[in-house]
Amino acid sequence: MSTDPVVEPVEPVVEPVVEPVEPVVEPVVELVETPFTQRPGAVGNPPQHYGNPLGEQRALAEGNAIVDLSDRDVLSVTGDDRLSWLDSLTSQRLVGLAPGESAETLLLDPSGRVEYAARVLDDGQTTWLLMDAGTGAGLLAFLDRMRFMLRVEVADRGAEYATIGTLGGSASAAALSAVALSAAVAAPDDVPLIWHDPWKSVAPGGHQYASAAEHPAAEWDYAEALVRRERLGELADLPAAGSLALEALRIAAWRPRAATELDATTIPHELDWLRSAVHLTKGCYRGQETVAKVHNLGHPPRRLVLLHLDGSDGVLPAAGDPVTLGETQVGRVTASALHYELGPIALAVVKRSADPAATLTVTTAEGVALSAAQQVIVPTDAGAEADIPKLPRLGAVKR
């Protein structure tokens, strides 16, 4: 009698039918004015622009401007167990994160859907979580419930620290160095709190679905610095760009963001977020089973795409505007912008089954129909990465 183990056939992963859902509404955050809101031409708080959005984009892309992101949330985690604790809860490998090293991580629900995204920086004594506006309180509450007997403390530090964004590689680093020399960039434990976006390349343990020969993230040298709010005045003389400029460059880099791309059913694969925020071979964490199952055996039900919009009408769609193929809605816009080189563009999440070669239509709230050419980010065949040999049917006769 054979002693070989009995191997049960693997059932195929059935792709769920996902209907378009309403985008998550970003919470309203009460803000105080900063020196940036008092600059000539400033529109919004933090400023969306200073009167020349396209010119500000170019300056920001070249590393010659900074962006006031003082509405962003900032959490701190202290204690000897902080990194191993966060590692056990979230999608990224954080154990061993060196002082000054940057990472990105996701908190998933048990079904693998993204609840929170955090930009992570450790200074040797404290782990700093930089988050989109209005999302910090929810993550703080969750983490506080999960402390148990571990040596960790979690705190909201947004009232003390403001976030400043910059882009442009060496020029960006030079601007931040000048700020650091004036003691504006915070360094409470002698490590400047400057987070460098790992989106520029595939993080260790990550995976990229995008198959473009030249990924636009190669030019995405983005960083965020924490500055004590009482020192923001020291930045008053530095050239600044508004948040619209940063948003346009982010969209062009295919860079997902919690405040815009997430909705109630988003899984990381749909946004190509395995690239920077998920470690596929680390230990267990909440939602890991879905991450592994979709990546190895199935396909994400939706996919992120860049839309090149017809600009004849001079209008941009808003987040949540429907994307249709013929008479059928296949997705929704998550963010749009007028790019200084590419023209009107948008990110959208669409059904995987939508023909990637088809021209789509975006309809604005005013009823304007915009023709939209797709640039594929997440391919229709993303996933199913495991090389699993097909098993013979039970009872089959070998010939």
Side-chain angles (χ1 to χ4, degrees), residues 45-345:
N45 183 18
Q48 295 180 328
H49 64 86
Y50 300 92
N52 183 9
L54 296 182
E56 293 164 26
Q57 276 186 51
R58 187 181 297 276
L60 180 61
E62 294 173 351
N64 295 323
I66 60 175
V67 184
D68 176 17
L69 302 174
S70 54
D71 61 335
R72 302 284 179 93
D73 293 339
V74 180
L75 305 181
S76 67
V77 184
T78 54
D80 292 344
D81 297 326
R82 65 189 185 279
L83 288 174
S84 60
W85 178 59
L86 291 170
D87 182 282
S88 70
L89 295 172
T90 66
S91 62
Q92 187 56 271
R93 174 171 286 170
L94 299 176
V95 171
L97 190 68
E101 188 177 355
S102 301
E104 182 181 31
T105 197
L106 307 174
L107 178 69
L108 310 179
D109 74 6
S111 299
R113 295 165 177 164
V114 182
E115 291 189 331
Y116 298 100
R119 301 173 284 280
V120 185
L121 175 69
D122 194 85
D123 64 12
Q125 299 294 324
T126 302
T127 301
W128 299 87
L129 305 179
L130 285 59
M131 304 184 66
D132 286 351
T135 65
L139 181 59
L140 175 63
F142 173 84
L143 293 177
D144 200 46
R145 293 195 304 269
M146 300 299 292
R147 290 187 300 129
F148 304 116
M149 299 297 291
L150 295 175
R151 296 168 294 175
V152 291
E153 294 292 336
V154 188
D156 183 348
R157 309 296 293 275
E160 302 170 60
Y161 294 95
T163 302
I164 299 296
T166 185
L167 198 141
S170 58
S172 169
L176 282 175
S177 296
V179 176
L181 290 174
S182 67
V185 170
D189 293 300
D190 299 323
V191 175
L193 299 183
I194 303 174
W195 176 83
H196 295 276
D197 193 350
W199 184 252
K200 183 176 175 65
S201 59
V202 181
H207 183 89
Q208 175 181 302
Y209 288 136
S211 57
E214 295 184 9
H215 198 294
E219 304 298 324
W220 178 252
D221 291 303
Y222 178 64
E224 292 181 359
L226 293 184
V227 177
R228 293 197 65 89
R229 290 187 179 270
E230 63 267 23
R231 293 187 175 273
L232 284 175
E234 299 177 26
L235 311 181
D237 295 330
L238 290 179
S243 59
L244 290 180
L246 177 60
E247 186 72 347
L249 298 174
R250 177 191 74 85
I251 292 171
W254 305 352
R255 210 305 177 211
R257 180 183 167 211
T260 51
E261 276 62 62
L262 291 191
D263 61 31
T265 65
T266 302
I267 60 175
H269 319 64
E270 296 174 333
L271 307 181
D272 210 9
W273 228 340
L274 303 185
R275 175 186 173 89
S276 62
V278 176
H279 197 290
L280 290 168
T281 60
K282 59 163 278 186
C284 294
Y285 56 93
R286 193 167 74 154
Q288 182 193 27
E289 182 179 358
T290 296
V291 170
K293 188 175 182 180
V294 173
H295 178 64
N296 292 316
L297 302 176
H299 301 285
R302 301 179 300 174
R303 56 186 180 86
L304 186 67
V305 354
L306 180 73
L307 298 179
H308 293 270
L309 304 169
D310 179 6
S312 303
D313 292 296
V315 297
L316 286 172
D321 283 349
V323 179
T324 57
L325 178 55
E327 300 297 320
T328 304
Q329 182 172 344
V330 295
R332 63 175 180 87
V333 170
T334 63
S336 66
L338 181 62
H339 191 273
Y340 76 105
E341 289 183 332
L342 301 178
I345 55 175

